[in-house]
Amino acid sequence: MTARTAPRFLTPLAAATLAAAFVVAWVGWRPFAADKAVPVPAVAHGETPAQRTDLSDTDRRRVADVTRPTRDFTRPEPFETMAGGAGTSTAKPDRAGLTHPAGNLDAAGEERFRLGSALFEKLWVSSPSSTQASDGLGPLYNARSCETCHIRDGRGRPPVGTAGSPSLVLKFLFPETVESVVQTAGDPVYGRQLQDSGVPGLPAEGHLALRYEERPVTLAGGERVSLRHPVYGTKGLAYGPLDSATRLSPRLAPPMTGLGLLEAIDPADILAHADPDDRDGDGISGRASWQTASADGAPVLGRFGWKAQAATVRAQAADAFATDIGISTPDDPRSHGDCTARQSRCLALEDGVQARLGSSEAPDPVLELVAFYARHLAVPARRNVAAPAVLAGKQLFSDTGCASCHVPKFVTRRDPTSPSTAFQLIWPYSDLLLHDMGEGLSDAVSPSDPASADAAKPRPGEWRTPPLWGIGLAQTVDARAGFLHDGRARTLTEAILWHGGEAQAARDRFVSLDAANRRALLAFLESL
């Protein structure tokens, strides 16, 4: 059994301790079902979100007590090491540190996890092919497998030199969609994103052009850090020029850590941190990303992706299958992927639908198993939580204001889709809300003048707060992993220095720390 699929189990002492702390309510395994995002009515600005419906009054008090921000930074909080609750991986924190299954899966769950892992790594081929049920790739695509972008289930690699990277895709946005939360409209010819590969006989759409401009930043005490300012464009476009109104938006593949636990957080707990009008005057005005459910049109809370554009793990996986690989699923029937009506050669090619298997190239249970796999990748255990530097850094993380958006902990619902994620105390360090991160991280740039902030006049960059659990292992898993939405930051220090907008004050406090305190804060992040 490989490191990716080897099951990990809690020690009896750890399991007993967690049970005593109420962080797991194990109810036995039942056959898993497709994700069902429960519609939650949108909350008007200023309204108090409804209370959780899954808790008794006693449980509600216990949850409020355990998730209250700590004021004692002299020692670790109870169960802080187990960042992902009872399913936390206690495996060696090495290159495979993000690939392990949740430790509280039963035998049937482990089998499904292994099947999902194989499908996650599966290389798709073009149609027609003698390898039935494996064809349907593209015809235009960015990667042949999920694993290609999410390297060892971690974050993607930014390009090096002139070589491209399948982990970094170039989204196409139109100005009329820049102001909305859901940015789905793409270029009239090239679609939602630039496809840099094509099946035999079909030219790729083109390639990303990227160069960096190094600009120094001086920290308190005289330390100098160089930030890479990316300049984006396109090259080798095979189907004519982009529309003059099209804007470019680069996106790096995010890590897969703890997705099922994030899905199990109650919407009311997320909305409790929202303050879109900054009524408390603290400069932080996170807002929810409301998406439209396909079934009945009711709004559901987005929580996955850089823009919180997907409500469920399954929805995110279906979009990636269709847009990145060109594989249709029951949830997204685009058998020709991101090909548009103006790409007639692409649409004329044979797809990989096998009528005897279903109406999509990846019929159930393929999507279901991949979503199950993604949902049950374990969060790694914290390291060095009691080290003096880590505890000091944790306090600085709070005092500088980082925890205002990177909310440390939640307790998941008692009744999520998967029993193994039920009623867990988890430490994702995210509020899953959208925040304005300033002009430096603006979402879309003009292809005619990528360096100009005035060419497109986009709104300041608004991004979902990325969870920080597992970030300390990012470059252990892959030394070339990058930080932020496009991988421009090579280090955690660079990532912090890019923060602006609502995070500007926290960033400036970090800059003003002396060298010893900055090292302590970084030691805390590296322990996550």
Side-chain angles (χ1 to χ4, degrees), residues 217-225 493 497 507-519:
V217 175
T218 302
L219 311 181
E223 180 184 350
R224 290 169 65 86
V225 177
T493 296
L497 294 178
R507 177 261 188 204
D508 292 346
R509 294 185 191 106
F510 174 78
V511 169
S512 66
L513 294 174
D514 62 35
N517 280 328
R518 286 197 302 271
R519 286 195 298 269

Side-chain angles (χ1 to χ4, degrees), residues 161-218:
T162 58
S165 169
S167 298
L168 182 67
V169 299
L170 197 60
K171 299 285 185 183
F172 293 137
L173 308 178
F174 262 37
E176 60 264 26
T177 66
V178 169
E179 295 297 332
S180 68
V181 175
V182 184
Q183 301 171 328
T184 56
D187 184 82
V189 173
Y190 291 89
R192 300 183 185 185
Q193 72 187 37
L194 183 69
Q195 312 285 341
D196 58 8
S197 297
V199 299
L202 185 68
E205 290 183 327
H207 298 279
L208 167 71
L210 170 62
R211 63 182 175 86
Y212 293 109
E213 298 174 350
E214 297 281 352
R215 302 179 188 175
V217 175
T218 302

Side-chain angles (χ1 to χ4, degrees), residues 32-36 314 331 364 368 375 417:
F32 71 99
D35 296 348
K36 295 181 180 179
R314 181 177 170 118
D331 292 20
D364 277 333
E368 192 173 349
R375 195 182 297 118
T417 303

Side-chain angles (χ1 to χ4, degrees), residues 118-466:
L119 291 167
F120 192 82
E121 297 177 17
K122 176 187 178 75
L123 292 173
W124 296 84
V125 298
S126 58
S127 300
S129 169
S130 60
T131 311
Q132 293 193 15
S134 290
D135 57 350
L137 176 69
L140 294 167
Y141 62 95
N142 292 101
R144 292 180 58 199
S145 73
C146 306
E147 168 75 14
T148 301
C149 298
H150 301 276
I151 300 166
R152 287 182 286 278
D153 302 307
R155 61 194 64 234
R157 293 174 175 172
V160 176
T162 58
S165 169
S167 298
L168 182 67
V169 299
L170 197 60
K171 299 285 185 183
F172 293 137
L173 308 178
F174 262 37
E176 60 264 26
T177 66
V178 169
E179 295 297 332
S180 68
V181 175
V182 184
Q183 301 171 328
T184 56
D187 184 82
V189 173
Y190 291 89
R192 300 183 185 185
Q193 72 187 37
L194 183 69
Q195 312 285 341
D196 58 8
S197 297
V199 299
L202 185 68
E205 290 183 327
H207 298 279
L208 167 71
L210 170 62
R211 63 182 175 86
Y212 293 109
E213 298 174 350
E214 297 281 352
R215 302 179 188 175
V217 175
T218 302
L219 311 181
E223 180 184 350
R224 290 169 65 86
V225 177
S226 183
L227 298 186
R228 297 194 303 180
H229 287 244
V231 180
Y232 290 100
T234 58
K235 59 185 179 182
L237 294 178
Y239 299 85
L242 293 170
D243 189 283
S244 60
T246 299
R247 299 293 179 258
L248 311 182
S249 180
R251 307 283 176 84
L252 190 74
M256 308 284 291
T257 309
L259 299 184
L261 293 167
L262 298 177
E263 189 174 58
I265 298 173
D266 191 277
D269 286 348
I270 297 172
L271 295 174
H273 294 281
D275 184 17
D277 297 321
D278 192 19
R279 291 178 180 269
D280 61 7
D282 66 352
I284 307 298
S285 53
R287 67 182 182 88
S289 172
W290 291 106
Q291 308 296 315
T292 300
S294 57
D296 56 9
V300 292
L301 185 63
R303 61 184 79 192
F304 298 108
W306 289 107
K307 293 287 184 181
Q309 70 271 17
T312 67
V313 175
R314 181 177 170 118
Q316 181 79 346
D319 182 75
F321 263 120
T323 307
D324 300 336
I325 309 177
I327 296 295
S328 59
T329 64
D331 292 20
D332 194 329
R334 291 180 288 155
S335 61
H336 287 79
D338 194 36
C339 294
T340 69
R342 299 192 191 182
Q343 294 174 322
S344 56
R345 287 181 61 188
C346 178
L347 295 176
L349 292 174
E350 186 174 342
D351 63 27
V353 175
Q354 306 287 334
R356 63 185 178 83
L357 298 177
S359 59
S360 62
E361 294 161 320
D364 277 333
V366 173
L367 177 61
E368 192 173 349
L369 286 168
V370 169
F372 184 90
Y373 168 76
R375 195 182 297 118
H376 292 93
L377 282 162
V379 176
R382 287 278 308 279
R383 299 157 306 286
N384 305 318
V385 294
V390 170
L391 290 171
K394 180 182 175 182
Q395 180 168 5
L396 288 164
F397 187 84
S398 175
D399 291 347
T400 56
C402 300
S404 296
C405 300
H406 292 283
V407 174
K409 48 190 172 175
F410 292 88
V411 171
T412 59
R413 287 185 61 85
R414 278 195 176 276
D415 55 355
T417 303
S418 299
S420 64
T421 63
F423 211 45
Q424 305 287 307
L425 172 62
I426 63 173
W427 307 71
Y429 285 90
S430 172
D431 59 10
L432 301 180
L433 297 171
L434 296 171
H435 292 275
D436 178 356
M437 295 299 292
E439 188 64 34
L441 295 176
S442 180
D443 180 43
V445 296
S446 166
S448 60
D449 183 10
S452 173
D454 298 325
K457 294 184 179 178
R459 59 177 174 78
E462 193 174 49
W463 303 95
R464 181 202 67 158
T465 306

